[in-house]
Amino acid sequence: MNISCANCAVTMEYHDAGYFFLHNDHHHTLPLKGYSSQLEDGTYVFPYENLNVLYEKLVREEKFLEEGGWTCSINCIDHPGSFMEVGKFILLMKHREMVEMIQDGEFISHLQPIIDLSDYSLLGYESLLRTAEQSKKINPGKLFEIAAITGFHSMLDQKARKSAIECRVGQVKPGFKSFINFLPSTIYNPEFCLRHTFQIVNELGLNPEDLVFEVVETEKIGDVEHLKSVLDVYKREGMKVALDDVGSGFATVEMLTLLKPDYVKIDRSFINHCDSVPENQEFLHKVMKIATELNILVLAEGIERKEELLFCKKIGVHYAQGYFIGKPALEAKEPFVQSLFV
């Protein structure tokens, strides 16, 4: 194992067979049997032949190991790498497949069309993260969930942004927008953490105005001032910003005035059957009123029915996306390819 300073995460090197190490700065009873040697600093060396068997053994003794303050390491040679707390180590072992994918896997983006409701023309595409290996299809939401609890969310978020930007090349023509998801919680210092993103944009010769960076899980944002600082850096570089999945908590004059997004994307729960559900209609009218006052563009996502699309158009929603308009695909497709509505 080693420390990856760029992503603030411990990178885990898995070995199907090798050596496991236990260390404790205090004199505690050794909780595991089978060590082959003891190093000068008191570290115990355990050879193992099967990583799954080792994991199961550690799970059985996890409580005792944690209470004793033991730290551990793993390597293919009989010399330890960096040590970590037992609980963290077991967590990384438990989610081995996804951790390896985040560390070493290749990612691509599928593109879902977004239309202008004034004339149903193409506005651009949202880039949605997928694994490059077709045999390893993993739910992106689950991948980000595991990344968060294992400490790899910054690494995954950076890779996702990179894939989303690069997929424009040869696919999305200049002048059309790319909506790119990002997690504000992974950007502890926007001036530093976003350098890599801006460098890719410059190297590819892309127009920053064609890129819209959208906040994932807006409703879960706790530090609004931090979010504002992140959005301000994106906007300073000439890019647009959007709030994703906007619900009642963020659909206020105060919140939107503070953050000044270029776009707000309405949570699909408010779009679902908006043509017939009074509560959804009331919320959408409220958002449109505030957005009009603040000169913010509104995008309805999750449109799956013609009636929903027509209602959003009727009340002045600017843009829309959803399965009725077009499903995510590896290649950029025109909207309404799978729909009878044009």
Side-chain angles (χ1 to χ4, degrees):
M1 304 171 205
N2 53 60
I3 300 295
S4 174
C5 297
N7 298 291
C8 303
V10 175
T11 55
M12 183 77 162
E13 296 179 6
Y14 298 91
H15 307 284
D16 292 327
Y19 297 87
F20 172 73
F21 306 87
L22 274 180
H23 175 78
N24 199 312
D25 291 327
H26 306 285
H27 296 288
H28 286 285
T29 303
L30 185 65
L32 296 178
K33 298 179 180 180
Y35 73 93
S36 61
S37 60
Q38 183 178 357
L39 305 181
E40 292 181 1
D41 64 351
T43 298
Y44 294 89
V45 183
F46 295 79
Y48 69 91
E49 296 182 354
N50 186 297
L51 195 59
N52 292 329
V53 172
L54 173 64
Y55 167 71
E56 292 169 1
K57 183 185 296 185
L58 293 177
V59 169
R60 289 195 297 269
E61 302 294 340
E62 181 176 4
K63 183 178 179 181
F64 189 83
L65 289 165
E66 287 188 325
E67 290 176 348
W70 292 87
T71 58
C72 51
S73 180
I74 194 173
N75 211 339
C76 57
I77 59 175
D78 60 354
H79 184 77
S82 299
F83 282 85
M84 69 178 74
E85 295 178 352
V86 170
K88 175 74 171 180
F89 184 88
I90 291 177
L91 190 64
L92 292 176
M93 293 273 280
K94 178 181 179 180
H95 299 292
R96 174 182 178 180
E97 180 182 5
M98 288 197 179
V99 169
E100 286 187 313
M101 181 172 292
I102 295 169
Q103 290 183 152
D104 308 317
E106 294 295 325
F107 295 95
I108 57 175
S109 288
H110 282 200
L111 301 172
Q112 184 174 29
I114 300 171
I115 61 167
D116 186 327
L117 281 178
S118 66
D119 59 4
Y120 306 119
S121 63
L122 180 68
L123 171 72
Y125 297 88
E126 179 175 359
S127 299
L128 299 166
L129 185 68
R130 299 289 187 269
T131 57
E133 294 184 54
Q134 294 299 312
S135 61
K136 293 185 178 181
K137 292 184 178 180
I138 291 182
N139 182 289
K142 185 65 175 178
L143 192 62
F144 271 101
E145 178 186 331
I146 298 303
I149 64 175
T150 56
F152 284 88
H153 52 304
S154 291
M155 180 183 291
L156 179 60
D157 191 52
Q158 187 181 88
K159 287 189 172 186
R161 274 181 276 137
K162 180 176 183 291
S163 169
I165 295 168
E166 291 178 339
C167 80
R168 276 190 67 94
V169 179
Q171 291 253 56
V172 183
K173 295 179 181 179
F176 292 97
K177 303 295 186 186
S178 283
F179 283 71
I180 299 169
N181 297 310
F182 78 96
L183 293 168
S185 60
T186 69
I187 303 172
Y188 60 92
N189 181 332
E191 296 288 350
F192 173 75
C193 295
L194 295 178
R195 286 180 190 171
H196 178 257
T197 297
F198 300 149
Q199 181 181 348
I200 296 171
V201 173
N202 291 332
E203 289 176 351
L204 295 177
L206 302 178
N207 184 348
E209 293 186 0
D210 288 341
L211 306 179
V212 182
F213 285 88
E214 64 177 81
V215 179
V216 175
E217 297 183 324
T218 297
E219 287 294 290
K220 296 182 180 180
I221 301 300
D223 189 343
V224 178
E225 286 294 336
H226 173 68
L227 174 57
K228 182 180 184 302
S229 70
V230 175
L231 299 184
D232 285 346
V233 171
Y234 275 123
K235 289 190 282 189
R236 185 194 69 199
E237 296 296 319
M239 300 163 187
K240 306 299 182 182
V241 296
L243 298 183
D244 188 23
D245 294 333
V246 167
S248 57
F250 270 68
T252 64
V253 173
E254 294 78 14
M255 192 65 69
L256 296 180
T257 300
L258 173 65
L259 296 174
K260 295 182 174 67
D262 300 289
Y263 302 83
V264 292
K265 299 181 74 174
I266 306 303
D267 189 294
R268 66 187 58 203
S269 64
F270 295 101
I271 302 300
N272 185 33
H273 285 84
C274 60
D275 54 299
S276 60
V277 178
E279 293 81 4
N280 289 356
Q281 293 178 359
E282 181 181 354
F283 177 78
L284 289 172
H285 280 296
K286 173 188 174 184
V287 171
M288 289 307 303
K289 182 177 184 297
I290 297 173
T292 300
E293 292 173 356
L294 299 177
N295 198 31
I296 296 172
L297 299 168
V298 178
L299 194 160
E301 58 181 345
I303 289 183
E304 297 186 357
R305 299 166 52 247
K306 176 180 177 179
E307 293 80 4
E308 293 164 350
L309 183 145
L310 293 177
F311 178 82
C312 288
K313 176 180 173 65
K314 177 182 176 182
I315 67 170
V317 174
H318 304 93
Y319 306 111
Q321 72 181 105
Y323 277 17
F324 179 73
I325 297 164
K327 295 181 179 180
L330 182 59
E331 297 181 359
K333 293 184 178 180
E334 292 293 318
F336 301 115
V337 170
Q338 297 160 317
S339 170
L340 297 177
F341 180 82
V342 178

